[in-house]
Amino acid sequence: MAQTRAVLAAFLFLLINLVEGPAYNMVNVEAGHEAVLSCPDVPKMPLLMVTWKTKCSACCLLAYRSDSNETRKLNCSERMMWKYSPDSNPALRIYPVNVGDEGNYSCEIVNGAGNFLLFSSLTVIVPPTVTLTCDKTRVAACQASAGKPAADISWIPANNHSTEEEVHHPNGTVTRVSYISWVDSTLPTVTCLVTHPATNQTLSLDLSCTSPRLPYLLIGGCASVAAVSGVTLCLIFRCRAFRLRKLTRGSAVPFATKNFRSIPSRNKTEAANPPVLSESIYQNYNPRMIYMNY
């Protein structure tokens, strides 16, 4: 009786698949995350074989046979493997997933009730890199780089005079840029809103940074700093030169010998013009007792 019910259930399941066609599964995963693709639900009967395939020129084949307990892997990345045990739940795991993994996958299960097939379509989402800049003419540019799909860009406050550009990259990502001019606006800030399936970002920019006075202030400040620095350096070198000259003059003649005797001046003329020291002054000259000012 139990066998009859199992056969009837398998027959009904097979009939539904024939009428409705193969099941189809949509999977969306962000790049760098884990993608798990499921196999079809089958009647509770012993598994004979399960096979994963990808539709491409060099197809990936991942198969398991329960009778020989054998696993076969052909042209598959190391990032692709069973999520669980293939004989209990043969889901496919891809980690980390990238744009190159995008495509269609099929899981086929064979058991005593027949062959069961499930198709999965994997879509990889790539969050964009968002930047907001402004030039001196007060034209703001909001850029969402290398996103998949392309991001939507809007402005706060809303403006109908914005223009957009798109660049499509070979890997399927898209860079979108929105430009808007705020020349006639007195708004102090502008806000860019980027909407994407993987992320929503809001960036604000201070429009005062584009004021033409700022470069002149920067130039004036730099000139002032340079002038002060130049005067300071001049004073330092001048003082050093004066000190060196003074030291040089003071050390030109040796002094302070041990038995140094001075000759008193006889008159004012001699005092004003001291005579040249005679050799007798240095009669007790000792080189070790001479000191020089350096």
Side-chain angles (χ1 to χ4, degrees):
M1 188 69 177
Q3 294 180 353
T4 304
R5 291 180 179 177
V7 172
L8 290 175
F11 177 75
L12 291 174
F13 192 87
L14 181 60
L15 182 62
I16 292 173
N17 284 338
L18 292 175
V19 173
E20 295 183 357
Y24 202 78
N25 188 27
M26 302 288 294
V27 180
N28 298 324
V29 181
E30 184 177 339
H33 291 201
E34 179 188 57
V36 178
L37 307 179
S38 302
C39 286
D41 293 330
V42 298
K44 300 297 181 180
M45 299 184 69
L47 178 69
L48 298 178
M49 187 174 65
V50 57
T51 304
W52 275 102
K53 294 180 181 180
T54 59
K55 293 184 177 180
C56 58
S57 56
C59 292
C60 165
L61 175 65
L62 182 62
Y64 169 75
R65 289 187 58 174
S66 62
D67 56 348
S68 60
N69 193 22
E70 179 185 358
T71 299
R72 185 181 180 187
K73 189 175 183 180
L74 180 64
N75 296 331
C76 295
S77 170
E78 296 180 355
R79 298 175 291 104
M80 298 181 181
M81 188 49 66
W82 310 105
K83 173 65 175 177
Y84 308 101
S85 174
D87 56 351
S88 60
N89 185 353
L92 180 65
R93 177 181 184 262
I94 307 175
Y95 179 80
V97 69
N98 57 41
V99 178
D101 300 324
E102 190 173 78
N104 296 321
Y105 296 76
S106 64
C107 177
E108 183 179 6
I109 292 180
V110 179
N111 61 12
N115 293 17
F116 303 90
L117 189 63
L118 175 65
F119 291 100
S120 295
S121 177
L122 176 62
T123 301
V124 179
I125 301 172
V126 181
T129 301
V130 181
T131 57
L132 178 59
T133 58
C134 188
D135 60 16
K136 61 183 180 180
T137 62
R138 291 174 64 92
V139 175
C142 185
Q143 179 169 319
S145 303
K148 184 177 178 299
D152 294 326
I153 301 176
S154 57
W155 296 92
I156 301 175
N159 195 309
N160 296 327
H161 300 288
S162 62
T163 58
E164 289 189 353
E165 293 181 357
E166 281 189 1
V167 177
H168 293 263
H169 305 288
N171 62 352
T173 59
V174 181
T175 295
R176 178 172 289 176
V177 188
S178 178
Y179 301 94
I180 191 169
S181 176
W182 301 96
V183 176
D184 300 328
S185 175
T186 58
L187 293 173
T189 60
V190 61
T191 301
C192 169
L193 177 61
V194 177
T195 305
H196 189 267
T199 181
N200 292 327
Q201 298 188 39
T202 302
L203 300 180
S204 297
L205 181 68
D206 185 4
L207 292 176
S208 62
C209 67
T210 61
S211 174
R213 297 180 180 178
L214 184 60
Y216 295 103
L217 291 175
L218 293 176
I219 294 174
C222 294
S224 301
V225 173
V228 173
S229 301
V231 172
T232 304
L233 292 175
C234 288
L235 291 176
I236 292 174
F237 286 117
R238 197 170 177 184
C239 291
R240 281 192 171 185
F242 177 77
R243 185 178 178 184
L244 289 174
R245 286 197 300 270
K246 184 177 179 180
L247 292 176
T248 303
R249 292 174 182 175
S251 60
V253 179
F255 65 95
T257 59
K258 184 175 181 181
N259 295 323
F260 177 82
R261 293 178 297 176
S262 63
I263 301 176
S265 300
R266 297 180 181 180
N267 50 45
K268 296 182 179 180
T269 305
E270 292 180 357
N273 299 308
V276 179
L277 297 178
S278 62
E279 294 182 357
S280 61
I281 297 177
Y282 298 98
Q283 60 183 351
N284 296 324
Y285 167 74
N286 185 357
R288 296 182 180 179
M289 302 302 298
I290 297 177
Y291 299 90
M292 302 288 291
N293 289 331
Y294 292 97

